[in-house]
Amino acid sequence: MIEVRNLVKKYGNHLAVDHLDFTIEAGRIYGFLGPNGAGKSTTMNIMTGYLGATEGEVLIDGHDILKEPEEAKRHIGYLPEQPPLYMDMTVREYLEFAAELKRIPRSKREESITEVEKLVKIHDVEERLIKNLSKGYRQRVGLAQAVLGFPEIIILDEPSVGLDPKQIIEIRELIRKLSKKHTVILSSHILAEVREVCDHILIISKGRLVASDTPENLEKMLGDADTVEIEAHADPSEIRAVLKHVPGIEQVTVASGEDGVTLAKIREKRGEDIRERIFQAFAARDIPLLTLRLEHVSLEDVFMELTQKDTVPDAFSRRKKKDGDEAKREEEDENAGNL
Ligand code: ADP
Ligand code: MG
C-alpha cells in the first residue's frame, strides 16, 4: 500500500530522516514511535507530499508522491501536527472548503460532511466558529478533515496531544473503528499509547528506524529477557574478562562508577538464570561482588535503550548524571533496602 524507500531529509546540515525503509500494508494500524525530534513529523510530511525529500522515494499504491501527487494524494487523509484550521470559518464552512479541495463531487458533499461530523461527534457544533472551540474540539475538526471522503490511508500526527484523558479514549476508539475499513498510521512519543492501539510499531530514533514489529514480538524479542545488575571493585576490562567465560549471557554493558567501582548490566539469554554462575565466576577470581540484582526488562526499557543509545549506553545513567553527594545518598538508600 505504501512503500518508503531509502528516505533522507536534510535541513541544512541536519539529518532529520536518515535512510528510512519500510512498507505499510493495507488494513492495519501502524504506530511511529519516537522521542520528540526523532523525525516522525518530517517523515509524515514527506509521505503525504507536503515536503520534498532530499533522497529516496515514497510510493502510494504504486504512485510516486512527487511525480504523481494528485493520484497519490487521493488515497490519503492527513492530520498534521498543527492542523491547518481557519479560525474565522464555522466547522461546516471549513469542512465544505476541505471537501472542495479533496474534489468530493458536489452531489455527495453534504452527505459526506454530515457523516464525518457524526463520526467524530462534532455535528452539534457545526455552526460554531472554529476559534471559539476548545482544543479537543479543534482536534476533532482536524480529524474530520482527514477522514473526509474516506480515503484508504489515514495518517495522524500525534492525534492525542493536548487532549484530556476522556478525549484520548474517544480518539482511540475512533481509530480502532477507522481501522476496520482503512489503513491508519499514527505517531506518538508515548509508548503506552502506541502499544494500546497499534498492530505494528516502527520505532524511530534520530531519523533512523531502530525496530519494526508487532508490540507482542517487540516485547518477546527484546523485553522478555531478564537483566542482572552487578557492582564490583574492578576495572571494566576485568569485569568483561570474567563474564566472558560465563555461559548464558546475551549482552554486557559496563560503566565506571565512583571509587573504582564498576557497574555491569548483563542481559541473560532467554530462559537462563545466570545469577549463581556469575557469583561463582567472580568468587573464583577473588573479586567480591558488592551487589547482584535481577531486573525485569520491560518494553519501556527497550524503548529507552533504543532511542537514547548514544547519549547513555545503559540504565546506570541516572546515577552517573547526579552530583557526588546525591549519588552517594541514593547508593546508601539502596544498600539499606538490600539489608
Ligand atoms: P518529531 O516529529 O519526531 O518530533 P520532527 O520531524 O519534527 O521530529 O523533527 C526532526 C528533526 O528535524 C528535529 O531535530 C527538528 O528540530 C528538525 N526540523 C524539523 N523541521 C525543521 C525545519 N523546518 N527546519 C529545520 N529543522 C527542522
Ligand atoms: Mg512531530
Side-chain angles (χ1 to χ4, degrees), residues 35-42 44 81 157-158 187:
N36 289 325
K40 304 180 295 294
S41 298
T42 302
M44 288 183 155
E81 203 160 28
D157 195 356
E158 306 253 4
S187 71

Side-chain angles (χ1 to χ4, degrees), residues 9 19 60 81 121 139 147 187 210 220 229 271 275 281 285 302-303 309 319:
K9 179 68 186 181
H19 298 88
I60 311 286
E81 203 160 28
K121 300 193 182 136
Q139 188 75 344
V147 174
S187 71
V210 292
K220 240 185 264 158
E229 230 180 271
R275 285 174 293 174
R285 294 282 206 95
V302 173
F303 174 52
K309 238 173 200 159
R319 206 177 297 175

Side-chain angles (χ1 to χ4, degrees), residues 120-143:
V120 306
K121 300 193 182 136
I122 52 171
H123 192 52
D124 22 322
V125 298
E126 67 167 6
E127 296 306 332
R128 297 257 296 269
L129 289 175
I130 291 176
K131 68 178 170 200
N132 295 333
L133 296 178
S134 68
K135 165 85 184 155
Y137 269 95
R138 282 185 199 174
Q139 188 75 344
R140 289 191 213 186
V141 176
L143 197 60

Side-chain angles (χ1 to χ4, degrees), residues 232 242 246 275-289 292:
V242 176
V246 177
R275 285 174 293 174
E276 285 181 15
R277 285 178 219 155
I278 291 174
F279 177 86
Q280 303 286 9
F282 280 90
R285 294 282 206 95
D286 242 357
I287 304 174
L289 289 177
L292 187 151

Side-chain angles (χ1 to χ4, degrees), residues 51-69:
L51 194 66
T54 309
E55 262 180 64
E57 60 178 5
V58 175
L59 301 177
I60 311 286
D61 253 0
H63 302 283
D64 189 306
I65 190 80
L66 288 181
K67 292 178 191 141
E68 302 167 82

Side-chain angles (χ1 to χ4, degrees), residues 226-270:
D226 286 334
T227 293
V228 178
E229 230 180 271
I230 58 163
E231 289 178 299
H233 274 291
D235 293 337
S237 57
E238 258 180 296
I239 300 249
R240 281 192 187 279
V242 176
L243 291 171
K244 213 169 169 181
H245 303 292
V246 177
I249 293 178
E250 182 74 39
Q251 198 194 352
V252 177
T253 327
V254 291
S256 309
E258 286 167 17
D259 306 326
V261 173
T262 295
L263 312 147
K265 208 174 149 101
I266 305 153
R267 185 170 292 168
E268 301 178 339
K269 286 194 174 133
R270 292 188 69 197

Side-chain angles (χ1 to χ4, degrees), residues 70-308:
E70 295 242 322
E71 193 51 44
K73 278 187 187 178
R74 235 170 20 92
H75 299 276
I76 299 178
Y78 183 34
L79 173 69
E81 203 160 28
Q82 267 114 28
L85 298 175
Y86 295 94
M87 295 297 160
D88 289 322
M89 285 184 181
T90 64
V91 170
R92 185 90 198 179
E93 281 165 355
Y94 175 69
L95 291 177
E96 275 163 9
F97 169 69
E100 209 173 306
L101 284 185
K102 290 193 173 201
R103 309 221 167 128
I104 295 173
R106 209 168 275 277
S107 59
K108 286 198 185 149
R109 267 182 216 166
E110 287 300 298
E111 192 193 325
S112 272
I113 292 171
T114 305
E115 193 180 354
V116 288
E117 280 181 347
K118 287 189 173 152
L119 183 70
V120 306
K121 300 193 182 136
I122 52 171
H123 192 52
D124 22 322
V125 298
E126 67 167 6
E127 296 306 332
R128 297 257 296 269
L129 289 175
I130 291 176
K131 68 178 170 200
N132 295 333
L133 296 178
S134 68
K135 165 85 184 155
Y137 269 95
R138 282 185 199 174
Q139 188 75 344
R140 289 191 213 186
V141 176
L143 197 60
Q145 164 277 131
V147 174
L148 189 61
F150 293 97
E152 289 159 68
I153 306 158
I154 294 171
I155 301 184
L156 311 170
D157 195 356
E158 306 253 4
S160 55
V161 159
L163 303 185
D164 65 36
K166 184 168 169 279
Q167 293 167 334
I168 289 177
I169 291 170
E170 283 178 7
I171 284 250
R172 279 185 196 163
E173 279 167 6
L174 180 63
I175 289 169
R176 287 207 189 90
K177 211 176 195 181
L178 287 171
S179 75
K180 298 210 170 95
K181 288 186 188 158
H182 305 262
T183 304
V184 181
I185 307 171
L186 60 92
S187 71
S188 173
H189 58 282
I190 302 160
L191 172 65
E193 175 166 288
V194 169
R195 176 167 43 195
E196 179 84 8
V197 286
C198 298
D199 307 312
H200 194 105
I201 301 180
L202 298 143
I203 301 182
I204 299 175
S205 174
K206 301 188 179 74
R208 283 191 301 259
L209 189 63
V210 292
S212 167
D213 216 321
T214 60
E216 297 75 29
N217 281 347
L218 283 178
E219 204 137 5
K220 240 185 264 158
M221 259 177 9
L222 302 158
D224 216 24
D226 286 334
T227 293
V228 178
E229 230 180 271
I230 58 163
E231 289 178 299
H233 274 291
D235 293 337
S237 57
E238 258 180 296
I239 300 249
R240 281 192 187 279
V242 176
L243 291 171
K244 213 169 169 181
H245 303 292
V246 177
I249 293 178
E250 182 74 39
Q251 198 194 352
V252 177
T253 327
V254 291
S256 309
E258 286 167 17
D259 306 326
V261 173
T262 295
L263 312 147
K265 208 174 149 101
I266 305 153
R267 185 170 292 168
E268 301 178 339
K269 286 194 174 133
R270 292 188 69 197
E272 301 264 355
D273 185 351
I274 54 171
R275 285 174 293 174
E276 285 181 15
R277 285 178 219 155
I278 291 174
F279 177 86
Q280 303 286 9
F282 280 90
R285 294 282 206 95
D286 242 357
I287 304 174
L289 289 177
L290 305 174
T291 59
L292 187 151
R293 188 173 38 229
L294 189 68
E295 273 194 354
H296 185 72
V297 180
S298 66
L299 196 50
E300 256 82 3
D301 296 324
V302 173
F303 174 52
M304 294 305 278
E305 199 177 310
L306 286 172
T307 55
Q308 294 186 357

